[in-house]
Amino acid sequence: MAEYFVFGIAESLLGKLASNLYEEVSRAFDLYEDVQGLRDTLLIVKGMLLDAEEKKEKKHGLREWLRQIQNVCLDAEDVLDGFESKSLRKQVLKASGSTRMKVDHFFSSSNSLVFRFRMARQIKTVRRRLDKIAADGSKFGLERIDIDHSRLQRREMTYSHVDASRVIGREKNREEIMKLLMQPLLHGDGYGDQSVCVIPIVGIGGLGKTTLAKLVFNDKRMDDLFPLKMWVCISDDFDIRQIIVKIINSASDPTISVVHQESINNLDIEQLQSRLRHKLSYQKFLLVLDDVWNEDRSKWIELKDLIKVGASGSKIIVTTRSHSIASMMGTVPSYVLEGLSAENCLSLFLKWAFREGEEKEHPNLVEIGKEIVKKCGGVPLALKTSGSSLFSVLDLERWENMRDHELWNLKQQKDDILPSLKLSYDQMPSYLRHCFAFFSLYPKDFGFTSAEMANFWVTLGLLRSPFGSQKIENVGKLYIDELYSRSFLEDFEDFGTMYYFKLHDLVHDLSLYVAKEEFLMVNSHTHKIPEQIRHISVVENDSLSHTLFPKFRGVRTIIFPVDGVGVGSEYLLETWIKRYKYLRHLDLSDSFFETLPNSIAKLEHLRPLSLDNNCSIKRLPNSFCKLQNLQMLSLRRCLGLETLPKRLGMLISLRKLYFTTKQSILSEDEFASLNSFHSLIFEYCDNLKFLFRGAQAQLPSLEVLMIQSCGNLESLPLHLLPKLEVLIVTRCVMLNLSLNSERPIQRLMMKYLHIEECARQQTLPQWIQGASNTLRTLSISNCHCLEMLPEWLNTMTHLKMLCIVNCPQLLHLPSDMHRLRALEDLIIDGCPELGRKCEPESGEYWSFISHIKCVSIGETKKRKLLFQMLSRLRLNCTK
């Protein structure tokens, strides 16, 4: 069933109601009592929400009650956002001092009298609805729970036995783990306390971590290596006492009576510790801790201190879905379990779908089975689920239906893949579950960057800083870190200031499963959009009928995530503006209408707006600058756009601006008034020669600057950008990055620098030295005149990645490369002579760079991903 995200929504709403802004505005318009009454009722309801979410599957009617609460909370948010819009308009009026604007404001629907009447009516309506729903909730007998702890979900207890003959495709993995177990204890490798070796096996649910551990545990070679073997399934809360009891029982002779095992349950903790030490002391043991969910390091240290009394060479195997838990517990690098090979996948599927030898009689079903196997992504549990559901079914249509349906439509058992993934999902805090649901708006195998997902979540108000002053973009990365640590992301690459990743197909299926109540990805097979849908993505042009879209006015998101898919109907656009006045996120990329209607100003809740790739549009209407909530505006590759909107400074919430324009000079005055301005990206601005020519005022908040294909641009005013963290310069043939090199070196905060096709660069500009304490990624590409890297490059003490591609004149590295101790990735491609000198073992530079964790010479996966990510930034940053 679909999930609801009501606890996080209620928390966000309460946070707004408690803010100074809402108190001041509500008092100013004599609405304070109404707003406080709404807050009081919401506080009561919020206390019951977590208990309701826990019990919704068991108590009839609770799911519908949660749905009603969520709807009224979202409607309340729509109403209360009017306060923010009113406050922003007042700021603009005050700053402008324009009599004309004040007169226009008086006769508009936003003047104080009209505003007060409208808001009072709407707030009273929402409060009545909420009061009624709260009263309905009392019949469910819910308990008050105010803190959303990460809930530990129970799983059926595991055991150490496994029939090895029924396990397919894990022989190599077993031998690799065996090799780790047979290695002598290593010291001084940087992994902490070596008194007992801990080997983590980490991977997504359903991959067979427990099965692999069983194969190793039961291998006869282990009996000779470890006189004492113990298997403990953790699964539940990481309770030290219970774990000690389980270890003692597992270490005991299996012939000992149950009466004895029950007796130790009556011992106090001191007696149990003594019994445990007696069992383990001077014994060389193998202990398996299966299905660990605990993230509390102090609990792990407490347990480890109790069990590290064994003989030298004792080993512990830990299985977990979390990379962060594996890192916390492991004393050697994690063993990351991958999916099965295509051949083994088919073998396992056929084993569960047919009786032995039966598949030879049905080659047509086997061919369909191969397509089903591809959907399972190498996950054994998914293969078993799919095959089992077709066992003894020889009807072709049934197999085709299986192939064409999503995984959740299978008859799910409690230990099948979707519940297995759902277990990890339920473990997430509520705010992360809501963010995860937005992946359902993108097609499978979509490549994401952390920047674009953080943008999405920011504009919908889903990011909450655990530390009040933390930058919101960094909070987005923290959320993605957490999803990755829970094994929900794959093909994950860290490029310093941002990540690149994908979702496993089964994880994508899970996102569809949990999000289907409110989220919908529209394609040519979509015949109707349900009325309750609030977030819509369109992935095929054939699905753009105006009759398809719901009349429900609560739609908040319309996006076009696939390149080349956009809206061409001005009538459809006007319909959306008229109908969906609470839109927060609107992506009109790849559209081809000539103008935006003046009515665009009615979308006062709009946060991001993208008009990328619209070559027909020349100007934006004057009314556009009334969108005071707008946080991001993208006008990239709008090649007909003559100028940026006038009065751009009125968009006082604007944080990110991406554009193409025919202007030759940008005025810094408009930008200087944007106090939250974070990112500026411009490209294909053929007439642009100077960026803020003659400007003196700084842009103190700008952190990201990206310039592409501006063939006449001559210089960059970096001295005006003291907080710049990301600089990407591509195909600017007239740009001299070394200009003004006589200036004193300015201290920079730059973390990421990419220089590509800058033909005038023979060496790196001196000003990069100013980032010696901050730069993490340096990428240089297609600079055919680059002849040398300066010796001062070795002062980049935080540099983690250095990528040099297609710089054929570059022959040497600086002599002190060994000083770059933080460097983890060195990528060299398209530099024939330099690449030869850096070849592992044989190259003359190898002794300088052998300390680097990953040295890649020639075309590599990491290099491909790096440039794929850059391409996505250039081509589709807002999608």
Side-chain angles (χ1 to χ4, degrees):
M1 289 187 179
E3 293 294 301
Y4 297 110
F5 313 103
V6 61
F7 183 84
I9 294 169
E11 270 201 329
S12 174
L13 189 55
L14 283 167
K16 289 185 177 183
L17 289 170
S19 68
N20 291 333
L21 169 65
Y22 281 84
E23 181 175 347
E24 291 172 7
V25 177
S26 63
R27 286 186 185 278
F29 291 97
D30 198 22
L31 295 169
Y32 182 74
E33 288 187 8
D34 292 304
V35 171
Q36 288 304 302
L38 179 62
R39 179 174 177 268
D40 292 342
T41 305
L42 190 58
L43 277 170
I44 295 171
V45 171
K46 181 205 164 197
M48 298 184 285
L49 290 178
L50 289 176
D51 195 36
E53 287 185 356
E54 291 281 349
K55 296 174 178 176
K56 64 179 180 287
E57 306 299 343
K58 300 175 183 177
K59 291 198 173 186
H60 180 71
L62 254 185
R63 181 172 285 276
E64 173 60 20
W65 184 77
L66 283 170
R67 187 187 69 81
Q68 292 179 15
I69 289 284
Q70 179 161 306
N71 284 339
V72 76
C73 283
L74 289 170
D75 291 345
E77 192 172 56
D78 289 337
V79 171
L80 292 173
D81 273 0
F83 282 129
E84 291 187 35
S85 300
K86 183 68 174 178
S87 176
L88 292 171
R89 280 194 293 270
K90 287 181 68 176
Q91 291 180 43
V92 171
L93 283 171
K94 185 177 179 180
S96 72
S98 165
T99 303
R100 170 68 183 274
M101 286 184 65
K102 291 176 180 178
V103 171
D104 289 348
H105 173 70
F106 179 81
F107 288 103
S108 75
S109 63
S110 62
N111 75 63
S112 299
L113 294 174
V114 175
F115 177 80
R116 182 187 172 209
F117 177 77
R118 185 177 75 243
M119 292 296 288
R121 184 182 71 247
Q122 292 177 340
I123 290 173
K124 289 179 189 296
T125 300
V126 167
R127 186 180 173 186
R128 280 197 301 269
R129 289 171 59 197
L130 191 60
D131 286 341
K132 180 180 183 304
I133 296 170
D136 291 343
S138 61
K139 64 186 177 184
F140 295 111
L142 299 173
E143 299 177 14
R144 188 182 180 97
I145 305 173
D146 288 319
I147 301 175
D148 180 18
H149 294 294
S150 292
R151 293 164 293 165
L152 292 168
Q153 303 295 326
R154 290 178 176 267
R155 170 177 116 162
E156 201 167 326
M157 293 301 291
T158 63
Y159 45 86
S160 60
H161 175 70
V162 66
D163 183 354
S165 66
R166 297 182 67 85
V167 179
I168 293 175
R170 291 303 186 197
E171 298 80 9
K172 180 182 177 183
N173 304 108
R174 176 180 61 186
E175 293 307 311
E176 289 172 342
I177 297 293
M178 296 280 288
K179 184 177 179 180
L180 290 173
L181 290 170
M182 291 176 178
Q183 285 180 352
L185 203 62
L186 300 176
H187 293 272
D189 63 357
Y191 279 88
D193 186 352
Q194 297 295 306
S195 57
V196 61
C197 177
V198 183
I199 303 169
I201 302 175
V202 64
I204 198 170
L207 272 180
K209 301 179 295 295
T210 298
T211 299
L212 176 58
K214 289 177 181 179
L215 286 173
V216 172
F217 189 89
N218 290 292
D219 193 289
K220 292 188 181 298
R221 290 171 287 178
M222 293 296 97
D223 296 334
D224 298 328
L225 195 60
F226 300 101
L228 177 61
K229 297 193 304 179
M230 298 160 288
W231 180 284
V232 175
C233 178
I234 305 297
S235 197
D236 299 330
D237 191 10
F238 200 90
D239 184 285
I240 298 295
R241 176 189 170 85
Q242 289 303 313
I243 294 172
I244 292 173
V245 169
K246 290 177 182 179
I247 294 174
I248 293 171
N249 285 336
S250 184
S252 300
D253 188 329
T255 61
I256 293 178
S257 66
V258 175
V259 175
H260 168 76
Q261 294 191 8
E262 289 176 348
S263 68
I264 67 170
N265 289 324
N266 298 321
L267 300 178
D268 62 35
I269 189 67
E270 188 59 38
Q271 291 170 317
L272 283 172
Q273 290 182 31
S274 177
R275 187 73 62 90
L276 179 66
R277 285 192 293 270
H278 175 72
K279 288 283 187 184
L280 301 185
S281 291
Y282 308 111
Q283 293 260 41
K284 185 180 179 184
F285 65 80
L286 171 64
L287 170 63
V288 176
L289 299 177
D290 185 43
D291 195 32
V292 178
W293 292 83
N294 167 63
E295 296 182 341
D296 188 337
R297 185 168 180 266
S298 63
K299 287 185 177 182
W300 163 237
I301 291 174
E302 182 181 355
L303 177 63
K304 186 171 70 170
D305 287 344
L306 292 174
I307 59 181
K308 66 181 184 181
V309 296
S312 177
S314 294
K315 303 286 174 66
I316 299 173
I317 293 176
V318 172
T319 71
T320 180
R321 297 182 193 181
S322 168
H323 286 271
S324 59
I325 292 174
S327 177
M328 175 185 74
M329 298 180 71
T331 61
V332 297
S334 299
Y335 186 88
V336 180
L337 190 59
E338 304 288 353
L340 296 178
S341 68
E343 181 181 357
N344 286 325
C345 284
L346 184 60
S347 296
L348 182 59
F349 173 82
L350 296 178
K351 186 182 184 76
W352 285 94
F354 294 98
R355 293 180 175 87
E356 187 173 355
E358 189 180 34
E359 69 274 11
K360 297 176 183 177
E361 302 172 15
H362 303 281
N364 56 335
L365 298 183
V366 172
E367 288 303 310
I368 297 174
K370 290 178 181 178
E371 297 180 62
I372 295 173
V373 163
K374 290 178 182 177
K375 286 176 171 279
C376 295
V379 180
L381 197 51
L383 294 158
K384 172 186 167 185
T385 301
S386 306
S388 297
S389 66
L390 292 170
F391 182 71
S392 76
V393 175
L394 303 178
D395 179 55
L396 180 65
E397 186 176 354
R398 287 276 301 277
W399 280 66
E400 289 174 339
N401 287 339
M402 167 69 75
R403 177 193 62 194
D404 298 333
H405 278 70
E406 298 294 349
L407 189 60
W408 70 78
N409 288 332
L410 301 176
K411 184 180 179 181
Q412 294 294 327
Q413 303 298 323
K414 62 184 177 181
D415 59 345
D416 287 341
I417 184 62
L418 192 55
S420 181
L421 287 174
K422 184 68 161 52
L423 179 66
S424 291
Y425 170 84
D426 288 340
Q427 179 75 9
M428 294 181 192
S430 58
Y431 60 82
L432 198 60
R433 294 200 298 270
H434 200 176
C435 289
F436 173 74
F438 281 84
F439 289 118
S440 67
L441 295 176
Y442 297 83
K444 287 185 177 180
D445 202 39
F446 192 88
F448 298 92
T449 67
S450 56
E452 63 197 1
M453 288 313 296
N455 281 343
F456 205 155
W457 295 334
V458 164
T459 56
L460 291 166
L462 300 179
L463 299 187
R464 295 180 296 162
S465 174
F467 315 105
S469 61
Q470 194 163 25
K471 290 191 297 187
I472 203 69
E473 282 77 16
N474 291 342
V475 177
K477 283 188 70 178
L478 285 177
Y479 280 27
I480 291 167
D481 279 333
E482 191 165 357
L483 286 168
Y484 176 62
S485 77
R486 295 171 185 270
S487 298
F488 271 64
L489 310 179
E490 66 176 10
D491 293 344
F492 191 92
E493 294 290 350
D494 183 354
F495 294 103
T497 58
M498 64 189 76
Y499 304 137
Y500 175 88
F501 60 91
K502 292 184 177 182
L503 260 65
H504 189 289
D505 281 357
L506 295 177
V507 175
H508 185 270
D509 287 342
L510 176 66
S511 72
L512 293 170
Y513 175 81
V514 301
K516 59 185 176 181
E517 187 73 24
E518 294 185 28
F519 299 75
L520 185 66
M521 183 170 59
V522 177
N523 57 32
S524 57
H525 301 293
T526 306
H527 302 297
K528 182 180 180 182
I529 300 177
E531 284 296 316
Q532 76 276 10
I533 294 295
R534 292 180 182 268
H535 306 281
I536 299 169
S537 70
V538 182
V539 296
E540 294 179 14
N541 280 323
D542 294 341
S543 26
L544 280 173
S545 165
H546 74 274
T547 59
L548 179 71
F549 288 84
K551 295 182 179 179
F552 174 58
R553 296 185 178 274
V555 172
R556 291 185 168 206
T557 301
I558 300 177
I559 64 171
F560 293 77
V562 177
D563 289 341
V565 179
V567 59
S569 166
E570 293 183 21
Y571 174 74
L572 182 58
L573 176 58
E574 290 177 354
T575 299
W576 289 347
I577 293 172
K578 181 179 179 180
R579 186 178 296 173
Y580 306 139
K581 67 177 183 177
Y582 297 115
L583 267 173
R584 260 81 168 169
H585 194 120
L586 181 59
D587 176 2
L588 299 174
S589 297
D590 294 289
S591 302
F592 40 91
F593 43 80
E594 294 185 1
T595 183
L596 277 179
N598 279 312
S599 58
I600 190 72
K602 293 182 179 179
L603 299 179
E604 64 178 40
H605 300 272
L606 197 63
R607 267 66 171 178
L609 172 64
S610 174
L611 297 165
D612 291 353
N613 292 328
N614 187 334
C615 295
S616 301
I617 198 164
K618 294 183 178 180
R619 291 180 179 270
L620 298 179
N622 292 333
S623 63
F624 183 84
C625 289
K626 293 181 180 180
L627 297 173
Q628 268 84 51
N629 274 305
L630 197 70
Q631 296 175 9
M632 185 184 75
L633 172 61
S634 188
L635 301 162
R636 301 174 73 176
R637 298 173 307 285
C638 294
L639 300 178
L641 190 70
E642 296 174 353
T643 182
L644 289 175
K646 291 182 179 180
R647 298 191 296 182
L648 190 71
M650 289 178 59
L651 301 175
I652 59 175
S653 299
L654 194 67
R655 303 185 76 250
K656 306 188 180 200
L657 175 62
Y658 314 144
F659 66 93
T660 300
T661 179
K662 294 182 178 181
Q663 292 169 252
S664 59
I665 299 175
L666 296 182
S667 167
E668 79 281 4
D669 296 336
E670 296 281 9
F671 293 95
S673 63
L674 301 174
N675 295 326
S676 301
F677 201 37
H678 176 274
S679 302
L680 176 61
I681 298 178
F682 54 100
E683 57 189 21
Y684 302 105
C685 301
D686 293 335
N687 299 328
L688 192 65
K689 290 186 176 182
F690 302 103
L691 185 62
F692 312 138
R693 185 177 187 180
Q696 299 299 319
Q698 291 187 333
L699 299 181
S701 59
L702 193 72
E703 294 185 10
V704 178
L705 177 61
M706 179 173 164
I707 310 159
Q708 174 180 308
S709 299
C710 296
N712 288 305
L713 188 68
E714 296 179 5
S715 64
L716 292 180
L718 293 178
H719 61 286
L720 300 180
L721 311 173
K723 297 288 182 68
L724 194 67
E725 293 188 2
V726 177
L727 176 60
I728 299 174
V729 181
T730 303
R731 293 196 293 277
C732 296
V733 293
M734 298 299 293
L735 180 63
N736 186 355
L737 288 171
S738 299
L739 201 64
N740 298 324
S741 58
E742 69 278 2
R743 283 179 179 267
I745 293 175
Q746 172 188 354
R747 183 176 177 272
L748 302 174
M749 301 181 67
M750 198 173 297
K751 296 179 180 178
Y752 185 103
L753 175 60
H754 176 79
I755 301 171
E756 181 177 350
E757 291 190 41
C758 289
R760 303 177 72 175
Q761 292 305 131
Q762 293 183 322
T763 186
L764 297 181
Q766 291 277 348
W767 53 257
I768 298 177
Q769 291 183 74
S772 60
N773 293 322
T774 57
L775 194 65
R776 294 183 62 193
T777 300
L778 175 59
S779 174
I780 309 163
S781 174
N782 296 301
C783 293
H784 298 289
C785 294
L786 188 69
E787 296 177 352
M788 61 175 291
L789 297 178
E791 290 295 324
W792 52 253
L793 186 66
N794 299 321
T795 65
M796 301 285 135
T797 55
H798 290 73
L799 192 67
K800 295 182 69 175
M801 175 184 285
L802 175 59
C803 181
I804 307 168
V805 176
N806 294 334
C807 301
Q809 300 301 316
L810 186 62
L811 307 179
H812 307 287
L813 290 177
S815 57
D816 290 334
M817 285 291 290
H818 62 277
R819 292 184 179 178
L820 297 176
R821 306 307 300 179
L823 193 61
E824 296 180 355
D825 284 289
L826 175 62
I827 301 170
I828 298 173
D829 185 29
C831 311
E833 183 63 17
L834 183 61
R836 184 187 63 79
K837 292 178 179 179
C838 293
E839 284 292 341
E841 309 300 339
S842 60
E844 63 183 271
Y845 286 166
W846 180 246
S847 61
F848 303 163
I849 61 176
S850 59
H851 68 284
I852 300 172
K853 182 178 178 181
C854 181
V855 177
S856 304
I857 309 299
E859 184 83 358
T860 66
K861 177 184 176 183
K862 186 123 186 178
R863 179 240 161 164
K864 285 181 179 178
L865 283 174
L866 174 64
F867 284 89
Q868 184 178 355
M869 185 192 71
L870 284 167
S871 177
R872 280 185 55 74
L873 282 171
R874 290 194 291 264
L875 296 176
N876 203 14
C877 186
T878 59
K879 285 193 174 185

